Amino acid sequence: MVKSTRHAKYELYYHIVFVPKYRRSNLTGKTKERLEAIFAEICEDKDLELAESEVMPDHVHLFIGSPPKNAPSLIVNWVKGISARKYNQRYDDRVKWTRSYYVGTAGSASKGAVEQYIAEQEGSDE
């Protein structure tokens, strides 16, 4: 859906993938649920649209819509930095992210395809 600001109309979505430090497969159970809630909280606070998210045991997929004023690198920094800080303050176990990440853009034509891909990741590791 096309959105607008005072001076722009836009439909920007980013597919973001990042991994925990040392690629540990510990993003399961309560950790997974807590992270999903924190990602939703961050997107709400930063006025981003969390279109789809999937926390896999050893990596995270997020599909985020954003106004054009936010650079993709800024969005990734927000999501990774704030999520680690909030998680580590609230819970005894720790989450650390690597410095690397993947970000790809998706317009309206491929938005559905990316959402479907992320949704299908749920059962692919089992």
Side-chain angles (χ1 to χ4, degrees), residues 4-126:
S4 62
T5 63
R6 286 179 35 192
H7 303 288
K9 296 219 179 266
Y10 65 92
E11 190 170 12
L12 294 173
Y13 290 91
Y14 302 103
H15 179 198
I16 300 168
V17 181
F18 53 95
V19 298
K21 202 136 183 146
Y22 312 116
R23 191 82 187 220
R24 292 195 174 122
S25 297
N26 59 351
L27 306 179
T28 58
K30 288 279 188 199
T31 302
K32 175 181 176 172
E33 293 171 16
R34 293 169 177 168
L35 283 170
E36 288 173 342
I38 289 172
F39 294 142
E41 185 180 321
I42 293 166
C43 288
E44 186 176 324
D45 291 346
K46 297 295 185 181
D47 198 28
L48 303 171
E49 176 193 351
L50 183 58
E52 191 73 39
S53 71
E54 188 59 52
V55 178
M56 304 301 291
D58 64 346
H59 65 283
V60 174
H61 287 273
L62 300 175
F63 195 49
I64 296 177
S66 171
K69 68 180 180 179
N70 300 325
S73 59
L74 177 64
I75 296 167
V76 172
N77 286 337
W78 281 342
V79 170
K80 288 172 62 178
I82 296 170
S83 67
R85 191 166 39 256
K86 285 186 177 200
Y87 190 93
N88 295 339
Q89 288 172 350
R90 294 176 185 175
Y91 308 106
D92 291 332
D93 54 329
R94 296 281 181 240
V95 169
K96 290 184 178 182
W97 306 117
T98 61
R99 294 188 305 177
S100 60
Y101 61 89
Y102 163 82
V103 64
T105 59
S108 60
S110 62
K111 178 179 180 268
V114 173
E115 286 177 340
Q116 180 181 353
Y117 169 77
I118 292 172
E120 288 172 356
Q121 294 301 301
E122 174 90 26
S124 66
D125 282 353
E126 296 173 0

